[in-house]
Amino acid sequence: MIPFHFLFKSTSCLLLLSTFFYSCQSEDPDKIVLDQLDKTFKVSKFYNPKLKKSEEMLGLDVKKMDKEELKKAFETAMFKKDTLAIFNSEGSLPTPFYIESTGEWGTRKLQPVKEFGYRYTTVSYNEKKDTLAILNDVAFPALTMAENKNGEFAYLYATKTSKNKTDFQNLENYLHKKYKEVKVAEDLGNGKKAWENNDFFYFLSKKDRREEQIFSFGEDGDENATTTDLADILLEIYSKTYIQNMRKEQVYLPDYIPSVNE
């Protein structure tokens, strides 16, 4: 029989190791499991290693790289960080203020009312190979995320282009099962489906399109082409705290986002 004190020590060690590994993964994960997202998620910790790698890639001398190195460089996902600020809408919106990057062409020469935080964007990626977030086994290769100046999560946009007709339905079924449904007016949401929990609003939408692929041209100019049905899927997650703060600040939010009950 194994002594109790040995079992206790072994169990304690296993718990300690599992906690250690979990904390390491949560501080710098390669991808986000979206149904495990909570208000404590640190956007900057997720993106900082990716931004550093992007800066290193941009600093490479392409003239000194061979074909394999160039191929790897072009297939590496790239990210950027923008400063977000609150600007005066000057009557162009139904609210006095709006949020935008200070680096956009329309805001570069404007004086912001105050800084808000930061936005992180995936600027290039491989649709087939890259996964930044996952929900119900559906992988998203691109994310846009924002945080306020205190490092608190604001919102997230996850996107993917899917050939699999079941991806959107799998996402919708999962969100419907896990969260409380929210009604969105058709004239506001443009087909968006919405849900909520205590911390977030979730919005799911898609745009169906058909893509033509030309494989070859005959000598007489005839084209041999095939078409593929695609769905551009967008999952939006907004922090209710962010929504409350923006309402108080009289900052513009998309019309389909409901008010948060105090």
Side-chain angles (χ1 to χ4, degrees):
M1 179 178 291
I2 302 174
F4 173 77
H5 67 86
F6 178 81
L7 285 173
F8 178 79
K9 288 182 179 179
S10 299
T11 304
S12 300
C13 289
L14 285 171
L15 287 172
L16 182 63
L17 284 170
S18 63
T19 302
F20 172 76
F21 285 123
Y22 175 79
S23 63
C24 288
Q25 290 173 354
S26 60
E27 285 183 3
D28 181 20
D30 291 328
K31 54 180 170 286
I32 306 169
V33 181
L34 292 174
D35 60 351
Q36 295 178 12
L37 184 73
D38 61 35
K39 294 194 299 184
T40 66
F41 182 82
K42 295 302 181 183
V43 179
S44 60
K45 284 187 177 181
F46 177 74
Y47 275 99
N48 282 343
K50 296 170 176 56
L51 290 169
K52 183 179 179 181
K53 190 171 183 179
S54 294
E55 291 173 1
E56 292 172 351
M57 296 299 295
L58 290 172
L60 294 175
D61 187 349
V62 295
K63 295 179 181 178
K64 297 180 179 179
M65 299 170 67
D66 59 30
K67 290 183 178 180
E68 284 299 318
E69 290 172 328
L70 281 170
K71 184 176 182 293
K72 183 178 179 180
F74 283 123
E75 290 180 349
T76 300
M78 301 289 284
F79 305 88
K80 73 170 183 174
K81 177 181 179 181
D82 292 314
T83 298
L84 294 177
I86 296 176
F87 294 90
N88 194 318
S89 68
E90 299 179 348
S92 62
L93 292 169
T95 56
F97 307 105
Y98 68 98
I99 281 185
E100 187 51 88
S101 165
T102 57
E104 296 293 327
W105 69 268
T107 58
R108 288 173 189 169
K109 296 182 180 180
L110 298 180
Q111 181 65 37
V113 176
K114 64 179 180 181
E115 286 193 0
F116 169 77
Y118 302 98
R119 181 176 67 198
Y120 303 81
T121 308
T122 312
V123 294
S124 67
Y125 58 93
N126 186 307
E127 183 77 45
K128 296 180 179 180
K129 296 181 179 179
D130 292 328
T131 298
L132 283 183
I134 191 165
L135 181 65
N136 197 31
D137 294 327
V138 178
F140 292 90
L143 288 177
T144 295
M145 299 181 71
E147 63 181 355
N148 65 18
K149 61 183 178 181
N150 295 321
E152 297 166 332
F153 175 86
Y155 61 80
L156 172 157
Y157 304 152
T159 58
K160 80 173 283 98
T161 297
S162 177
K163 296 180 182 179
N164 188 341
K165 294 181 180 180
T166 64
D167 278 347
F168 183 83
Q169 195 61 54
N170 286 344
L171 291 168
E172 183 178 351
N173 291 345
Y174 184 80
L175 290 165
H176 190 75
K177 181 179 179 181
K178 190 172 180 68
Y179 305 116
K180 180 182 176 181
E181 186 175 3
V182 177
K183 295 296 183 183
V184 178
E186 289 186 12
D187 58 332
L188 299 179
N190 194 24
K192 289 183 185 292
K193 306 286 186 178
W195 300 266
E196 68 175 320
N197 62 13
N198 291 335
D199 297 325
F200 304 117
F201 280 113
Y202 302 81
F203 300 93
L204 182 66
S205 58
K206 68 169 179 171
K207 290 183 178 179
D208 294 316
R209 61 186 173 90
R210 180 164 292 176
E211 185 176 89
E212 186 175 272
Q213 295 177 312
I214 300 173
F215 294 101
S216 64
F217 293 89
E219 293 181 0
D220 57 357
D222 293 334
E223 299 178 7
N224 294 317
T226 61
T227 58
T228 303
D229 291 327
L230 301 172
D232 295 322
I233 299 173
L234 170 63
L235 173 65
E236 304 164 72
I237 303 177
Y238 285 90
S239 163
K240 289 186 174 181
T241 301
Y242 166 74
I243 293 171
Q244 284 178 318
N245 292 338
M246 294 303 97
R247 300 288 190 205
K248 291 175 183 177
E249 296 269 9
Q250 300 184 73
V251 171
Y252 177 77
L253 292 171
D255 294 336
Y256 56 83
I257 297 179
S259 297
V260 179
N261 296 326
E262 296 284 351

